[in-house]
Amino acid sequence: MRFIPSDTLRELITMPEAITAMQSAFSALSDGSAVVPLRTTLDFPGSDARALIMPAYHSSSRYFTTKIVTVCPTNAARHLPLIHGTLIVTDGSTGKTLALMDAEWITALRTGAASGLATEWMALPDAHTLGVFGTGAQAYEQVRGVMSVRKLTRIIIFGRDPQKTTTFCKTVSNQFAIPCFPAQAPQEVSQCDILCCATNAHNPVFEDKYLTHGTHINGIGAFKPAMREIPSATIARARIIVDQRASAWREAGDLILAQKDGVVAEDCIAGEIGEVVTHKTSGRISREQITIFKSVGNAIQDNVIASMAYERALKAGIGTEI
Amino acid sequence: MRFIPSDTLRELITMPEAITAMQSAFSALSDGSAVVPLRTTLDFPGSDARALIMPAYHSSSRYFTTKIVTVCPTNAARHLPLIHGTLIVTDGSTGKTLALMDAEWITALRTGAASGLATEWMALPDAHTLGVFGTGAQAYEQVRGVMSVRKLTRIIIFGRDPQKTTTFCKTVSNQFAIPCFPAQAPQEVSQCDILCCATNAHNPVFEDKYLTHGTHINGIGAFKPAMREIPSATIARARIIVDQRASAWREAGDLILAQKDGVVAEDCIAGEIGEVVTHKTSGRISREQITIFKSVGNAIQDNVIASMAYERALKAGIGTEI
């Protein structure tokens, strides 16, 4: 079994490659060639921590993957990461365990790449201003994903903690040579052609009235029924594309709570991103339309990225045999 | 994260300790203090291979474990093990991945220990002849489990492959200094006070008519609805104790097929082994009674053994930090 640590993983796959991989992953999810059982959720009694166990198999590759992710909200107070994760790659033919990887980077990369893919197919072609809610590892990969598919001229960061927001802006400006600064007021949402919501919020992070015509929103937080980032009024008027219909209605708080609010019905989902990239439906119908890509994350995304990382690590002699 | 290889694991826990651990595991399962989501089964399309993903958390310990097991029937023809497995130990408080272990030994040990525990509580006190169906890794640990709780004077092995059976008998005789020999005829079942069925059979491995009064049977194969080792006639007349009611009716072919045959109803299960060891029900009512412990295996068994192995490995400095 090969152990591939996080720092070497980063060098193995570029963001444009990850976006192409997401196109294949979501196509497989929509056409049924991906085998993805419902993910298992385990709540630890006596705490608000939980584990997600996410297995997936892609019949066109030979790899079966299982990602084990834990989310421990009390970790922040202990100066530990909120999310930890491990990913196991198994040979789908012999059942042998092939590799063990750190799952944090894979999760952030595939989530950023999914937003990149959705932005490519849904945002206005001339979109140039990105607004980001969140300042964590996910937010960083959201920036990378979006800038791979649109020529950004500036990035506005909407963070709760001023110090973290400033640090994040500096990192992004330095890394990508795009002006990146903290938002001064909530109305600045109206200057954004693309919004990425990458928070752990339980209430909307912006007001619907500030949205400009034509804005595209990637919503990647709100992966539990009681969480939400996007206001019901926006859900009600937007064209909504999801990663997977079944998991959206099971887990996506943004949609579930909007339905509870009575503003939308089940038919509010226009399609899956896998249907958009295979031309079965459109990501956007008009320039004026607000579009939303709502994703709770799917194990097939991890499968495709981890399989690629494993093959490349093997070829390049990266990692340790244990 | 600590990697603990198979060969060092073997030295960490004795069979009597594992049997005591099973008592705690099954008590927790029956009283609800164990958190064990339904295990996920993933069938690989285009082959008869499958993966089982088994998470568990024991609220009295701080460890969350996930076992990933694959069963690939075509492996035999390729001279590869039928079963492969990996187990991940996670800190239930911080969510950090703590350890990675080979799951094969843990699976065999906990399965042998469960049969040891059931035999202790269900077999006749003076039982001395053990019959075993199967000659694999599981069969070996079944012998170890049973001999830890009863004074065995001889062991009869019922194997399909004469050469494998002879080899297995030699190994057992040498290891445990108990006479162990291949069965010459199916009727030799009548000489056995205890039977362990540890096969991948889809049809009964013995005939009901050969059973002696008072025999105790441990059935640990038949973990899928279409598999069976124990004849319906035996199911119909025995006192049946299971590892867990819910999983028995979902997976235990021996019971599901007997119900289909119309010989038993759902109330044929007298109790769970966790109820027996906490004196809520009895494993055996009379000397004459045939008793069956039917187990499909439960993730809490792996959790308890892996947690113990991890703590001991840490203390003894065994394994490698990766």
Side-chain angles (χ1 to χ4, degrees), chain A residues 177-215:
Chain A
I178 300 172
C180 178
F181 41 83
Q184 303 301 320
Q187 310 59 316
E188 286 175 31
V189 159
S190 67
Q191 300 170 26
C192 303
D193 309 308
I194 302 164
L195 286 175
C196 290
C197 303
T199 74
N200 277 304
H202 282 72
N203 290 297
V205 293
F206 61 84
E207 285 186 67
D208 180 67
K209 65 181 178 189
Y210 296 134
L211 285 180
T212 320
H213 290 327
T215 303

Side-chain angles (χ1 to χ4, degrees), chain B:
Chain B
M1 182 190 329
R2 186 167 286 255
F3 173 60
I4 309 168
S6 246
D7 50 342
T8 58
L9 272 176
R10 281 174 205 281
E11 304 305 319
L12 292 172
I13 302 169
T14 66
M15 180 55 82
E17 288 173 329
I19 292 174
T20 306
M22 285 309 101
Q23 181 149 348
S24 135
F26 286 119
S27 305
L29 193 64
S30 293
D31 73 19
S33 62
V35 183
V36 188
L38 293 190
R39 64 182 168 198
T40 303
T41 305
L42 186 149
D43 290 305
F44 299 122
S47 83
D48 56 353
R50 60 165 36 188
L52 302 171
I53 300 112
M54 302 172 66
Y57 182 68
H58 192 323
S59 52
S60 78
S61 90
R62 47 186 286 237
Y63 305 110
F64 157 58
T65 55
T66 309
K67 188 170 80 166
I68 303 163
V69 177
T70 53
V71 186
C72 298
T74 50
N75 274 6
R78 294 182 282 189
H79 305 288
L80 287 170
L82 172 71
I83 295 173
H84 284 100
T86 298
L87 191 143
I88 303 282
V89 181
T90 306
D91 187 316
S93 156
T94 64
K96 270 186 81 168
T97 307
L98 297 174
L100 171 76
M101 300 175 191
D102 201 84
E104 284 132 80
W105 172 79
I106 289 172
T107 305
L109 176 65
R110 60 87 151 155
T111 308
S115 290
L117 181 70
T119 302
E120 188 177 354
W121 288 79
M122 297 175 71
L124 290 172
D126 51 354
H128 53 76
T129 299
L130 168 65
V132 178
F133 289 88
T135 56
Q138 302 288 341
Y140 182 80
E141 296 296 331
Q142 291 293 306
V143 173
R144 283 184 69 210
V146 171
M147 60 172 284
S148 300
V149 298
R150 287 295 180 272
K151 284 204 195 317
L152 299 181
T153 54
R154 60 176 180 155
I155 303 172
I156 306 174
I157 307 298
F158 300 79
R160 277 183 310 173
D161 178 324
Q163 204 184 327
K164 274 190 193 165
T165 307
T166 308
T167 309
F168 187 83
C169 289
K170 274 189 194 155
T171 308
V172 169
S173 302
N174 291 343
Q175 284 282 320
F176 308 122
I178 301 172
C180 178
F181 41 84
Q184 303 301 319
Q187 351 354 2
E188 285 176 31
V189 159
S190 65
Q191 300 171 27
C192 302
D193 309 308
I194 302 163
L195 286 174
C196 290
C197 303
T199 74
N200 277 303
H202 282 71
N203 290 298
V205 293
F206 62 85
E207 285 186 66
D208 180 68
K209 65 180 177 190
Y210 296 135
L211 284 181
T212 320
H213 290 326
T215 302
H216 170 68
I217 302 165
N218 297 306
I220 63 133
F223 56 90
K224 291 201 274 186
M227 297 171 83
R228 79 158 109 187
E229 300 178 302
I230 304 171
S232 280
T234 309
I235 297 289
R237 68 187 177 112
R239 179 170 181 82
I240 300 167
I241 300 292
V242 295
D243 47 8
Q244 190 185 31
R245 276 190 187 82
S247 56
W249 286 119
R250 208 167 44 238
E251 298 174 353
D254 291 319
L255 300 179
I256 292 166
L257 295 175
Q259 195 188 22
K260 269 195 188 159
D261 289 345
V263 302
V264 292
E266 280 227 359
D267 63 2
C268 73
I269 296 178
E272 296 182 348
I273 188 72
E275 294 163 355
V276 172
V277 300
T278 52
H279 303 281
K280 292 193 184 72
T281 189
S282 298
R284 166 177 295 273
I285 306 288
S286 72
R287 274 196 70 87
E288 293 68 37
Q289 193 167 46
I290 303 286
T291 55
I292 297 176
F293 171 58
K294 175 59 206 163
S295 173
V296 293
N298 191 284
I300 195 65
Q301 296 173 255
D302 303 306
N303 178 280
V304 169
I305 294 289
S307 301
M308 189 187 278
Y310 170 67
E311 288 194 339
R312 292 187 175 187
L314 209 62
K315 210 169 174 180
I318 286 169
T320 324
E321 281 298 318
I322 55 173

Side-chain angles (χ1 to χ4, degrees), chain A residues 40 70 75 78 86 93-95 97, chain B residues 70 75 78 86 93-95 97:
Chain A
T40 303
T70 53
N75 274 7
R78 295 183 281 189
T86 297
S93 155
T94 65
T97 307
Chain B
T70 53
N75 274 6
R78 294 182 282 189
T86 298
S93 156
T94 64
T97 307

